[in-house]
Amino acid sequence: MALHRVRAERLTVDRDRATGVVTADGTRLAAGRTVLAAGSFSGRLAGVPDDVVPPVRPVKGRCCG
């Protein structure tokens, strides 16, 4: 496993599977498994198919139940 602390610009998808990301500087990172962990920004990531965009949105003052 590798952790990359960079901003993802686009999810890369082949058929119905995520295959990695393209980072803000244009680097392509391939992955057997990809975790979408952008919080309230998850819906803004380019390349995420419409039918799997998580229904999250920022809500001021709400945290942790």
Side-chain angles (χ1 to χ4, degrees):
M1 181 176 84
L3 177 64
H4 298 272
R5 291 186 176 267
V6 295
R7 189 177 77 230
E9 288 290 323
R10 171 172 291 282
L11 182 70
T12 56
V13 178
D14 182 20
R15 294 183 211 123
D16 64 345
R17 294 190 54 95
T19 57
V21 297
V22 177
T23 66
D25 68 1
T27 302
R28 292 182 172 271
L29 299 172
R33 292 189 177 133
T34 304
V35 176
L36 181 58
S40 63
F41 296 102
S42 295
R44 296 183 185 176
L45 182 63
V48 178
D50 290 337
D51 59 332
V52 297
V53 172
V56 294
R57 62 184 175 80
V59 178
K60 184 177 179 179
R62 302 280 314 239
C63 177
C64 311

